[in-house]
């Protein structure tokens, strides 16, 4: 992450939001090059080509999603939201964490923007299929229900 935000809280939020590294502007190109070399030495982490939870699938490379055999027509924000939930199934994701991952790090928009987009995603992901997999956890955020195998 390359940013002008230099506070400890900002760095912690950036790293917790998924950044592999955090570099504050202004920066030295020599330091940037050294950090890139360090990242390359770590090697690529294996990520599944298609994310799955129950009958819900998302192919991040093609930006296509399905519920069972039905392809879902999702906006870019809905796809980003779905990808975040599929990467953290069963985990409660706070509105702040969702904002940090799906919107720009410095986004300071409407306070209920997450709620609005989650509601829109539910209308496409759950309601047409008689499901309620995208759950609200009162006072904490949202979670994607992981169906029990059995």
């Amino acid at each position: 992450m390359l940013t002008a935000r230099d506070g400890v809280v900002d760095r912690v939020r950036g790293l917790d939001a998924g950044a592999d590294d955090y570099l504050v502007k202004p920066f030295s190109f020599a330091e940037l090059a050294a950090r890139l070399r360090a990242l390359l030495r770590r090697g690529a982490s294996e990520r599944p080509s298609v994310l799955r939870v129950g009958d819900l699938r998302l192919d991040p490379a093609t930006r296509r999603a399905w519920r069972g055999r039905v392809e879902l027509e999702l906006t870019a924000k809905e796809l980003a939201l779905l990808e975040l939930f599929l990467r953290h199934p069963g985990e409660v994701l706070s509105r702040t964490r969702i904002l940090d991952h799906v919107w720009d790090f410095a986004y300071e928009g409407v306070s209920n923007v997450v709620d609005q987009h989650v509601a829109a995603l539910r209308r496409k992901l759950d309601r047409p299929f008689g499901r309620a997999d995208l759950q609200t956890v009162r006072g904490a955020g949202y979670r994607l229900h992981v169906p029990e195998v059995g």
Side-chain angles (χ1 to χ4, degrees):
M1 180 174 287
L2 179 61
T3 178
R5 294 177 175 255
D6 63 354
V8 172
V9 171
D10 297 317
R11 289 191 300 263
V12 169
R13 284 183 67 205
L15 293 167
D16 284 346
D20 290 315
D21 198 359
Y22 196 99
L23 184 61
V24 177
K25 297 187 286 187
F27 61 92
S28 154
F29 282 103
E31 180 182 5
L32 174 62
R35 288 174 179 263
L36 289 171
R37 287 190 302 272
L39 286 171
L40 290 172
R41 282 192 303 269
R42 290 183 199 167
S45 61
E46 284 297 316
R47 285 191 160 181
S49 58
V50 175
L51 303 169
R52 294 176 194 272
V53 172
D55 67 344
L56 193 55
R57 293 178 293 134
L58 170 71
D59 182 344
T62 63
R63 310 297 294 156
R64 295 173 65 196
W66 298 266
R67 168 72 83 180
R69 293 182 180 168
V70 177
E71 187 167 355
L72 305 171
E73 296 292 327
L74 303 178
T75 66
K77 287 293 184 213
E78 291 165 349
L79 281 164
L81 259 175
L82 180 57
E83 181 174 356
L84 179 62
F85 284 116
L86 287 170
R87 290 196 186 278
H88 302 278
E91 190 176 325
V92 176
L93 303 176
S94 69
R95 285 170 181 80
T96 302
R97 186 167 177 196
I98 293 169
L99 275 171
D100 288 347
H101 277 73
V102 177
W103 280 264
D104 181 72
F105 185 75
Y107 178 81
E108 294 180 18
V110 180
S111 63
N112 67 345
V113 69
V114 171
D115 304 322
Q116 292 171 353
H117 280 81
V118 168
L121 184 57
R122 278 185 177 137
R123 285 191 293 272
K124 296 176 181 180
L125 187 73
D126 285 346
R127 287 191 190 148
F129 304 94
R131 306 289 289 271
D133 291 339
L134 198 49
Q135 302 172 338
T136 300
V137 179
R138 189 175 296 282
Y142 298 98
R143 125 178 96 216
L144 178 62
H145 172 73
V146 179
E148 293 182 26
V149 178

